[in-house]
Amino acid sequence: MMRLTTAIFLILTFSFCEGNNSENIDEPKRGGNPIDWNAVANSSIHSLLDHYWNSRHHYFIYTNTGNKEFHYWPQAHALDVLLDAYQRTEEDSLVHYLKQWYDGVKQKNGGDFYNIYIDDMEWKALAMLRAYNTLGDDKFKTAARKLWEDIQTGWSDVAGGGIMWKKNTPHSKNACSNGPAAILAARLYQLENQETYLEWAKKIYKWEKETLVDPASGAVWDAAHVEDGEVNINKDWKFTYNQGTFIGAATELYEITGDSTYLEDAIKTADFTLNSLTDYSGRLLKDEGGGDGGLFKGIFVRYLTQLIQLSDLPASDRKRYVNFLEHNAETLWLEGTRKPAVLFGTHWATSPENEIDLTTQLSGAMLMEAAVFFSDKGYFEE
């Protein structure tokens, strides 16, 4: 698309944002009129841009109170949310932000997209590959490929395989650096049909499943650490985002191979999450705090949403998962959102009073985009 002139951009931005503030949305009580999820999602993306977008340097700042500190990994998820909104609305005004994001984040990161945290590079590559698939702009695909080449160097025989979490921590192999890597390799295979990508996806997935997944419950443990030749696994740390990326990797590989084992793995881990990483009697994803933890629930929502869309998912499982997400979205909107600003809290049943981290806001935005998707498809009416 042609670059919008300033005047046209302002007109489009006004038309997109006008009327999307929560003040203009009827707020039904449970059992009342249905929530207008399109209006909610519009107010959510408008709030993200209004409170977190740095219009001068073209990246997302860290808090709604003006902390302009640059945090690398949330930028990828902010790009994903922009893409959610653009695919839903097809508003040309959003293309302006998508293109500015590339240059602004690259410059803020020192002129490239590389990082010492391998998992964070994986998130960047995933978001930029999706941007390429959406916009057809080759620079996003080129950047994603370059990151993939660097990500591969994190694989070693330490702990029997796996990709390290950080370039200077070769003895730490984490779920957060292997689940997204398997997803990325699978998507590169789907894009370019090169067998080596599929081999990587299967290899990474196999290592994670055999090393970091409880075969009984489907729980995904956080990391394997090697000390004095011994592999130690922290089985106490179970985070929603690690469950989400394992589900995502299993879903991608099932779509490619048709191997039912992958679907069974995804269902088992999804069920573990709904049974064990929730509060309010299993009806609400648990509060994992702000900071990095603020993004965890949103990542789980993104990949559970992908699983729900599989045509081979049993209808009873689909209904359970959809009902769970609908309840979480309704609770967050009616109880956990500060209005009229449309700011989301870390606990989705409690309206936030203090400053909101970008990570926390993004999780809420992901849930609202999932809600409008399922509402438009008629899933919430089943």
Side-chain angles (χ1 to χ4, degrees):
M1 296 183 181
M2 295 179 61
R3 187 178 181 86
L4 298 174
T5 66
T6 301
I8 295 175
F9 170 67
L10 289 174
I11 292 170
L12 288 171
T13 301
F14 180 77
S15 66
F16 173 68
C17 295
E18 186 180 33
N20 292 335
N21 191 286
S22 68
E23 289 181 303
N24 298 313
I25 300 173
D26 291 333
E27 296 182 18
K29 302 299 181 183
R30 286 181 175 82
N33 296 324
I35 294 173
D36 184 346
W37 289 112
N38 267 291
V40 168
N42 284 343
S43 71
S44 172
I45 189 65
H46 172 57
S47 177
L48 178 67
L49 293 169
D50 186 41
H51 293 286
Y52 296 91
W53 178 250
N54 186 318
S55 59
R56 180 178 179 184
H57 297 292
H58 306 148
Y59 69 94
F60 287 89
I61 65 175
Y62 197 63
T63 71
N64 64 304
T65 55
N67 179 348
K68 296 182 180 180
E69 187 176 350
F70 176 78
H71 286 233
Y72 177 87
W73 88 292
Q75 306 300 323
H77 299 281
L79 177 59
D80 256 332
V81 171
L82 285 177
L83 289 164
D84 291 337
Y86 176 66
Q87 290 176 342
R88 175 173 55 83
T89 66
E90 297 184 348
E91 286 286 349
D92 286 342
S93 59
L94 291 171
V95 176
H96 186 83
Y97 294 103
L98 292 167
K99 292 184 176 180
Q100 285 192 333
W101 178 98
Y102 180 94
D103 293 325
V105 171
K106 182 178 180 180
Q107 181 178 359
K108 198 69 178 176
N109 195 55
D112 58 43
F113 290 105
Y114 298 114
N115 196 271
I116 192 172
Y117 293 96
I118 295 178
D119 60 321
D120 293 358
M121 290 195 298
E122 292 163 2
W123 290 121
K124 278 290 195 303
L126 281 167
M128 288 194 289
L129 195 62
R130 187 177 168 211
Y132 166 73
N133 288 331
T134 303
L135 301 176
D137 190 333
D138 283 337
K139 67 183 178 185
F140 288 102
K141 180 172 69 172
T142 299
R145 280 174 170 168
K146 288 181 178 179
L147 286 176
W148 170 246
E149 292 300 320
D150 197 44
I151 289 163
Q152 291 177 65
T153 66
W155 178 277
S156 73
D157 291 334
V158 173
I163 293 176
M164 69 184 74
W165 164 60
K166 195 177 178 184
K167 291 178 179 177
N168 62 359
T169 59
H171 293 89
S172 180
K173 302 295 185 66
N174 295 50
C176 66
S177 54
N178 284 275
I183 296 170
L184 176 60
R187 290 183 179 176
L188 284 167
Y189 169 76
Q190 290 171 312
L191 178 65
E192 302 190 346
N193 200 30
Q194 293 184 16
E195 196 66 25
T196 183
Y197 290 128
L198 182 56
E199 291 170 358
W200 266 106
K202 289 180 176 180
K203 179 172 73 169
I204 296 167
Y205 183 90
K206 182 175 185 291
W207 177 86
E208 182 175 6
K209 180 179 176 180
E210 293 178 350
T211 310
L212 294 177
V213 179
D214 180 1
S217 68
V220 181
W221 300 312
D222 186 63
H225 301 283
V226 178
E227 299 177 9
D228 300 324
E230 295 290 327
V231 179
N232 300 301
I233 298 174
N234 186 340
K235 297 183 179 181
D236 294 327
W237 282 10
K238 305 180 189 75
F239 302 118
T240 55
Y241 82 134
N242 287 336
Q243 320 307 311
T245 58
F246 185 70
I247 291 168
T251 301
E252 294 283 349
L253 285 168
Y254 176 73
E255 289 185 294
I256 293 169
T257 68
D259 185 340
S260 61
T261 301
Y262 292 119
L263 179 56
E264 292 164 5
D265 289 348
I267 292 171
K268 181 181 285 188
T269 297
D271 287 349
F272 165 78
T273 308
L274 269 62
N275 291 332
S276 302
L277 300 183
T278 55
D279 57 19
Y280 286 97
S281 301
R283 301 205 67 199
L284 204 66
L285 286 169
K286 69 176 186 176
D287 185 348
E288 292 173 283
D292 286 344
L295 252 170
F296 292 178
K297 291 198 293 289
I299 292 169
F300 173 78
V301 167
R302 182 172 297 284
Y303 292 106
L304 183 64
T305 296
Q306 184 178 351
L307 173 61
I308 290 169
Q309 295 174 68
L310 284 181
S311 60
D312 293 333
L313 181 70
S316 59
D317 292 320
R318 179 176 293 107
K319 183 173 180 59
R320 285 191 299 113
Y321 300 155
V322 168
N323 288 347
F324 178 78
L325 289 181
E326 182 177 19
H327 176 75
N328 275 255
E330 183 181 71
T331 300
L332 176 57
W333 180 246
L334 296 179
E335 301 177 23
T337 302
R338 186 198 302 172
K339 302 184 181 79
V342 188
L343 294 170
F344 307 119
T346 62
H347 191 285
W348 285 351
T350 305
S351 180
E353 296 181 359
N354 301 315
E355 71 177 9
I356 315 298
D357 293 341
L358 172 63
T359 50
T360 300
Q361 187 70 12
L362 289 171
S363 273
M366 290 180 200
L367 179 59
M368 295 312 172
E369 290 292 344
V372 72
F373 173 81
F374 288 124
S375 177
D376 284 353
K377 295 293 184 180
Y379 282 53
F380 283 176
E381 299 172 4
E382 294 178 358

